[in-house]
Amino acid sequence: MDLLKSIAESLEHGDDERVHALVTEAVAAGLPAGDVLNQGLIAGMGVVGEQFRLREIFLPDVLLAARAMYAGLDVLKPLLARDGVPTAGTVVIGSVQGDLHDIGKNLVGIMLKGAGFEVVDLGNDVAPERFVDAAARSGAAVIGLSALLTTTMSVMKDVVDLVKARGLKARVIVGGAPVSEAFAKDIGADAYGFDAANAVDRVKALAAGA
Amino acid sequence: MRPLLERLAAGETIVGDGAWGTMLMARGLRPGVPPETLNLSSPEAIEEVAALYLDAGADFITTNTFGGSPLRLRAYGLEDRLEPINRAAVEAVRRAVGGRAYVAASIGPCGHVLKPYGDGDPDEIAGGYARQLEILADAGADLVIVETMTDLTEARLAVEAARRAAPDLPVMATMTFDRTRRGFFTVMGVTIAQAAEGLAAAGADIVGSNCGNGIEAMVEIARELRACSERPLAIQANAGLPESRGGAVVYPETPDVLASWVPALLAAGVRVIGGCCGTTPDHVRALRAAVAAAPPAR
């Protein structure tokens, strides 16, 4: 138990080498990979997400914590697959066509992984067809769209329309500096995440069918 | 034209232009197309917007080069167009304004988070800014505006590159802050005091804030800047934060709203007042009128 707590704390401090070593130690000691994931990595990222939401820490700290989380996930991934531990669901994310900003989108991806989701990150400047194709292929429950520019946020509606036209079950969540709840509603998106932590909460609700 | 810094030293308030992205969208910029390519494909659209802002009373007109650094252009496979894109940007504004307004070279973030947090290499970023700035200066820009920065290290690299590559041009540097329960910070964790000190140390003649906030929050930011900086201050506010009405993106703050806060900005020591996202020539016209109606700074 203390080992899992140490993993969470080392992750919060962005110590990737220590997280890697502790996760290796935990699985060698016979702890179930699912417990190491949930009570170690996910617990740690939950704290990081909350601290960032309150701006007690900032983007650099989150990026270091994410690197530590990935160091732990590298060890756990094959074991989670072997044990048949289910993920929280699959989410396809990307910055919409014409938008090269990916810091906010990356942050959401980090937080989603930190909440146990499988994330398919299509990167930036993603055409509507690519979102829809990737969602169909991966069986994603949710598609997450990011835009930082007033000049690109209108592309979000194209994705929403295409999801409907193709009859996909995936729900669409939108976010980014110029985006708002009213805009999301207006273009027919299923949800709006006003920051990374809120986006994860909304994705959880969407994935659960709310 | 009298040099910008002389006019500021003489107590004059300088009025900037407004948003470009929305203006260019209204003139054929399609989603998915980098705005900087219009410098080559539709220079007449650039000239038209520049002329509208000049007519509205702007003292400087920003070039369409915010994303024109080599690293940003590379993401679109356009790095080999660095020189023509940046040169055409200055030339189009110059054709529109002649000697009636300063041509302000816009420098935006490079799009990479610096090491060790991301993959951005400081030498490559600094070198990229220097290459862009040499072109902009050579093409005849009158000043440099480093804007919408959230990482102080990156902002300093840009300001220092301007100082080296364009030593004769004044440099204005502005960062974007978010309001938090512990005060204003950039998303990278930079405070207003750190920004004011760091930008000045890097060689910025004018420091301030742009984007991210409507005008009311900007007055608070200006007051905090004034408390920790002797430099002339610049504020370029958004026309509020965007809303959606019937599928269209709308910025809610009217020209009158922006103008009503000009006396407060002047009282806080702001000497360069312009607009950012969502502002229009009408906003600039209202700012100009409010500045003209205010008593001189000294």
Side-chain angles (χ1 to χ4, degrees):
Chain A
M1 192 57 219
D2 276 351
L3 191 52
L4 297 178
K5 210 169 172 181
S6 298
I7 291 171
E9 283 172 5
S10 301
L11 185 152
E12 289 160 36
H13 297 136
D15 189 341
D16 54 344
E17 286 174 13
R18 187 158 167 77
V19 168
H20 189 275
L22 290 173
V23 169
T24 306
E25 187 185 330
V27 293
L31 286 170
D35 288 359
V36 180
L37 176 68
N38 284 304
Q39 294 164 48
L41 303 183
I42 292 182
M45 276 313 285
V47 172
V48 169
E50 181 62 10
Q51 288 177 339
F52 179 68
R53 190 179 70 76
L54 299 173
R55 291 297 191 274
E56 286 165 4
I57 62 172
F58 295 93
L59 192 55
D61 313 292
V62 178
L63 295 174
L64 291 183
R67 189 175 300 170
M69 173 180 72
Y70 295 143
L73 279 177
D74 284 346
V75 179
L76 289 182
K77 269 280 169 68
L79 303 172
L80 291 167
R82 183 199 65 195
D83 296 353
V85 178
T87 69
T90 298
V91 185
V92 169
I93 63 169
S95 299
V96 297
Q97 193 162 41
D99 213 311
L100 293 182
H101 296 86
D102 58 5
I103 291 170
K105 180 266 297 170
N106 290 348
L107 198 56
V108 171
I110 288 166
M111 296 298 178
L112 285 171
K113 285 178 195 162
F117 284 92
E118 188 68 37
V119 176
V120 179
D121 187 345
L122 300 177
N124 51 36
D125 192 20
V126 179
E129 296 74 25
R130 286 186 58 211
F131 279 110
V132 176
D133 290 345
R137 204 164 42 237
S138 64
V142 180
I143 301 174
L145 308 178
S146 171
L148 209 82
L149 299 173
T150 13
T151 50
T152 56
M153 58 194 284
S154 59
V155 181
M156 291 176 154
K157 183 171 190 306
D158 301 340
V159 182
V160 171
D161 291 347
L162 195 59
V163 167
K164 286 177 184 156
R166 295 265 191 96
L168 241 63
K169 286 207 182 69
R171 316 290 293 276
V172 180
I173 179 168
V174 297
V179 181
S180 65
E181 185 88 53
F183 176 80
K185 199 167 285 174
D186 208 64
I187 64 168
D190 299 293
Y192 158 70
F194 76 83
D195 61 19
N198 178 245
V200 171
D201 289 343
R202 304 297 296 267
V203 167
K204 281 182 187 166
L206 290 175
Chain B
M1 255 181 315
R2 200 170 164 200
L4 174 71
L5 295 181
E6 267 183 34
R7 287 169 65 181
L8 286 172
E12 196 176 332
T13 299
I14 298 295
V15 175
D17 59 356
W20 273 81
T22 36
M23 298 290 283
L24 292 177
M25 283 172 73
R27 285 161 184 77
L29 173 63
R30 306 306 310 156
V33 176
E36 290 75 21
T37 58
L38 260 64
N39 299 335
L40 297 174
S41 63
S42 314
E44 68 285 352
I46 308 291
E47 288 178 50
E48 192 186 334
V49 175
L52 287 170
Y53 280 127
L54 176 72
D55 185 58
D59 291 309
F60 64 79
I61 307 293
T62 316
T63 58
N64 181 32
T65 53
F66 181 80
S69 62
L71 279 172
R72 286 279 290 263
L73 292 177
R74 182 184 300 171
Y76 285 110
L78 290 169
E79 195 181 357
D80 61 340
R81 308 295 287 156
L82 175 73
E83 167 128 25
I85 284 174
N86 283 283
R87 190 169 286 283
V90 174
E91 289 171 354
V93 174
R94 179 63 74 200
R95 276 196 302 277
V97 307
R100 290 168 291 171
Y102 304 110
V103 177
S106 168
I107 301 287
C110 71
H112 292 257
V113 176
L114 267 86
K115 291 172 183 171
Y117 311 110
D119 64 357
D121 176 64
D123 291 337
E124 187 181 23
I125 291 167
Y129 281 136
R131 282 164 64 203
Q132 185 189 11
L133 281 154
E134 278 165 18
I135 297 163
L136 294 166
D138 187 61
D142 299 307
L143 79 139
V144 175
I145 300 186
V146 173
E147 56 185 347
T148 327
M149 289 286 174
T150 56
D151 181 348
L152 185 55
T153 306
E154 183 184 4
R156 292 188 58 149
L157 289 175
V159 171
E160 286 160 4
R163 275 279 162 254
R164 277 197 313 275
D168 300 332
L169 302 187
V171 178
M172 174 170 132
T174 55
M175 299 189 76
T176 302
F177 300 96
D178 302 323
R179 191 198 292 277
T180 80
R181 63 176 68 182
R182 293 190 298 129
F184 287 99
F185 292 87
T186 74
V187 72
M188 299 299 283
V190 180
T191 64
I192 288 175
Q194 288 167 337
E197 187 187 340
L199 296 173
D205 302 294
I206 305 162
V207 301
S209 182
N210 76 295
C211 206
N213 291 286
I215 189 75
E216 198 171 343
M218 283 299 201
V219 173
E220 286 179 57
I221 291 172
R223 287 179 184 141
E224 285 193 38
L225 278 166
R226 179 75 306 158
C228 51
S229 181
E230 297 290 315
R231 306 274 157 139
L233 301 182
I235 291 292
Q236 305 217 77
N238 289 354
L241 298 179
E243 300 169 359
S244 172
R245 289 179 199 154
V249 181
V250 177
Y251 283 83
E253 289 181 359
T254 62
D256 288 345
V257 170
L258 244 66
S260 70
W261 289 93
V262 164
L265 287 174
L266 294 174
V270 178
R271 309 298 302 287
V272 178
I273 303 177
C276 200
C277 302
T279 56
T280 65
D282 286 340
H283 289 86
V284 171
R285 193 167 282 113
L287 289 175
R288 163 57 71 198
V291 166
R298 72 172 84 130

